[in-house]
Amino acid sequence: MSKLSRRKFLFTAGATAAGTLIIHGCAANNNPSTTSTTTSAPAPAVNINPADAPEIATATLGFIALTDSAPLIIALEKGFFAKYGMSDVKVLKQASWPVTRDNLELGSGGGGIDGAHILSPMPYLMTLGTITKQPVPMYLLARLNTNGQAISLGKEYLDAKITVNDSAKFKDILLTAKNAGKELKAAITFPGGTHDLWMRYWLASGGTVPDTDISIIPVPPPQMVANMKVGNMEGFCVGEPWNAQLVNQKAGYTALITGELWKDHPEKAFTMRADWVDKNPKAAKALTMAVLEAQQWCDKPENIEEMCKIVSQDKWFKVPFEDIIERSRGNIDFGDGRVITASPIAMKFWRDNASYPYKSHDSWFLTENIRWGYLPADVDIKATVDKVNREDLWREAAKSLNVPAAEIPATPSRGIETFFDGVQFNPEDPKAYLNSLAIKKV
């Protein structure tokens, strides 16, 4: 397999195609240690059979300040990690996805982290060695959420009122701006990550050629809004609360929420270094049980307000509660006059099998990475997914939590997926999907 140049993946906000991006918020610290690990209203410990006790009680996990990291934060704050014997878990804020990657490559023994809240494709790119100094085998233990991201545009496009079905209209607007000499940029959070794939899919569906008609640039999530304010980009794709903050600050509007692009699409994942899991399988199961219980807790309507109050704190997101709460409730103010309440395609942590890591979804992620040239066309998709996706460990954790059989998918495939533009992905035939796409690099 040919290896992509690692340079392509080393962008940070200070050295990116945007050139003049603002740096603010969290410093790029490879070993942040300021996040408190105290818990509130701890869950009572369970009686653990000595034969099932975790090999160790400590683990170091990373997160990015995005609402979909809430299960890791809640698992700590509510004592779910300790409940299952993991009494010394640290959950540390990471400045960007490249920092998360680098700290996972280091591992906690090298001053980094053992696992993380992560963009679902990243464990695959790390395992294949395309974004790391050498291959770093990873396991994907759970999906953390479905839906909950958005593509937002600058306020100069407000009069156009672009929606999910207007990607062709947006192409015409961009072409006019480009012909007038404007340098066009759309921001995503990491090359080959979910936000990159949502942005590229939507633009290409309307005829815009990513990297040719418009530059796709990586920007850390907490820096999206500030860069939009100063005109560094036409739009961005990122998770919450940054789209809501953009609207609340009247600096732009949301063109679409990604559930409109692909209903109940997979998003972030809980990943661990494979060597850590192989060495500590019982501890890995305990961590997964804690995360799954936290996902169940986060998805209960009566807990949403408390969840948002917890994650909004300075030690976690350092974001106003008001920027998090409404979209967490499924109430979407797009900022262009459109408002929907109790959206069925808002972020989900547990319901509708949001936590289960379908292998079929990871097949799509790999196929899209092939589509855009991040992976060579000869990658064995099935073998790679089988190596990284540990849905078997998810099932073990779920059964130990007494999750009802009806909430455990019968197979690791959700079947054929249909996108907003009518395009279908059959996980049994990724090549047919690739051949059907007009715009691609492969």
Side-chain angles (χ1 to χ4, degrees):
M1 180 192 305
S2 60
K3 182 174 180 178
L4 270 142
S5 169
R6 187 170 183 266
R7 184 181 306 168
K8 189 171 186 178
F9 296 92
L10 292 180
F11 293 111
T12 64
T16 182
T20 58
L21 295 180
I22 294 171
I23 305 298
H24 72 97
C26 306
N29 182 347
N30 274 1
N31 189 24
S33 59
T34 58
T35 301
S36 170
T37 57
T38 58
T39 63
S40 62
V46 296
N47 291 323
I48 301 173
N49 186 317
D52 298 325
E55 299 85 356
I56 57 174
T58 184
T60 305
L61 308 176
F63 79 100
I64 294 285
L66 294 162
T67 308
D68 45 36
S69 68
L72 267 63
I73 295 169
I74 293 301
L76 183 65
E77 289 275 359
K78 289 297 180 181
F80 296 138
F81 287 132
K83 177 179 178 180
Y84 297 109
M86 299 300 294
S87 58
D88 187 21
V89 174
K90 296 179 176 63
V91 179
L92 306 180
K93 186 183 293 185
Q94 309 295 295
S96 65
W97 294 119
V99 170
T100 301
R101 171 206 58 202
D102 292 347
N103 279 330
L104 283 169
E105 187 168 6
L106 288 170
S108 63
I113 57 181
D114 303 305
H117 151 254
I118 204 164
L119 298 164
S120 283
M122 286 182 68
Y124 290 95
L125 301 176
M126 294 181 67
T127 298
L128 292 170
T130 62
I131 61 171
T132 47
K133 296 174 184 176
Q134 61 275 320
V136 180
M138 301 294 297
Y139 288 154
L140 193 155
L141 302 180
R143 199 78 65 197
L144 287 179
N145 68 297
T146 57
N147 305 322
Q149 321 302 295
I151 293 178
S152 293
L153 304 178
K155 60 184 178 182
E156 64 266 35
Y157 300 105
L158 184 57
D159 290 344
K161 295 187 182 298
I162 300 296
T163 69
V164 66
N165 294 312
D166 294 330
S167 54
K169 177 182 176 182
F170 191 50
K171 175 195 174 183
D172 294 337
I173 294 172
L174 291 176
L175 182 61
T176 299
K178 187 172 184 178
N179 288 340
K182 186 173 186 180
E183 185 180 358
L184 303 176
K185 306 184 190 75
I188 50 85
T189 61
F190 190 83
T194 53
H195 304 118
D196 186 23
L197 303 184
W198 309 141
M199 178 65 82
R200 288 174 181 273
Y201 190 98
W202 182 67
L203 290 173
S205 71
T208 298
V209 181
D211 302 319
T212 299
D213 297 334
I214 185 170
S215 298
I216 308 296
I217 61 171
V219 175
Q223 298 174 17
M224 290 287 191
V225 175
N227 281 286
M228 188 81 94
K229 283 182 175 180
V230 296
N232 279 338
M233 60 189 68
E234 318 315 306
F236 59 62
C237 183
V238 72
E240 299 302 339
W242 308 110
N243 299 282
Q245 185 175 93
L246 182 82
V247 171
N248 289 345
Q249 296 185 12
K250 301 187 185 306
Y253 72 103
T254 292
L256 63 118
I257 55 175
T258 48
E260 296 177 296
L261 198 72
W262 176 10
K263 182 181 179 183
D264 291 342
H265 67 77
E267 184 48 43
K268 302 301 188 301
F270 172 46
T271 192
M272 296 288 295
R273 286 179 56 107
D275 57 1
W276 194 96
V277 175
D278 291 341
K279 183 179 179 181
N280 307 292
K282 296 174 185 177
K285 179 181 177 180
L287 289 174
T288 305
M289 290 173 68
V291 170
L292 266 57
E293 184 164 350
Q295 290 181 276
Q296 294 173 325
W297 187 93
C298 290
D299 234 14
K300 292 179 179 178
E302 63 268 27
N303 293 335
I304 291 176
E305 182 174 344
E306 183 181 358
M307 178 192 80
C308 293
K309 286 181 178 178
I310 290 171
V311 300
S312 70
Q313 297 175 61
D314 287 359
K315 66 178 179 177
W316 298 119
F317 291 2
K318 198 174 183 180
V319 170
F321 168 79
E322 293 75 17
D323 289 346
I324 307 175
I325 182 61
E326 290 306 322
R327 293 199 181 194
S328 295
R329 287 173 169 158
N331 302 329
I332 316 295
D333 179 353
F334 288 80
D336 61 357
R338 292 178 296 153
V339 177
I340 57 176
T341 58
S343 170
I345 50 174
M347 187 179 296
K348 301 175 184 179
F349 294 104
W350 181 260
R351 62 193 186 279
D352 299 327
N353 299 324
S355 172
Y356 177 73
Y358 283 102
K359 289 186 174 183
S360 58
H361 291 163
D362 289 346
S363 294
W364 183 83
F365 286 132
L366 288 178
T367 303
E368 280 289 299
N369 268 273
I370 292 171
R371 175 188 184 182
W372 298 114
Y374 294 125
L375 291 175
D378 62 356
V379 168
D380 188 330
I381 293 174
K382 184 180 185 307
T384 305
V385 171
D386 287 343
K387 180 178 181 180
V388 176
N389 183 304
R390 297 303 306 272
E391 60 86 30
D392 58 316
L393 299 182
W394 186 97
R395 289 178 185 276
E396 288 182 21
K399 289 176 182 177
S400 294
L401 284 174
N402 296 315
V403 171
E407 296 180 26
I408 299 178
T411 73
S413 175
R414 203 169 72 173
I416 295 175
E417 303 285 349
T418 302
F419 298 86
F420 83 106
D421 54 357
V423 172
Q424 292 188 326
F425 174 73
N426 182 348
E428 301 302 318
D429 194 359
K431 186 175 180 180
Y433 168 80
L434 272 176
N435 290 339
S436 75
L437 300 170
I439 297 176
K440 52 183 177 282
K441 288 188 174 181
V442 63

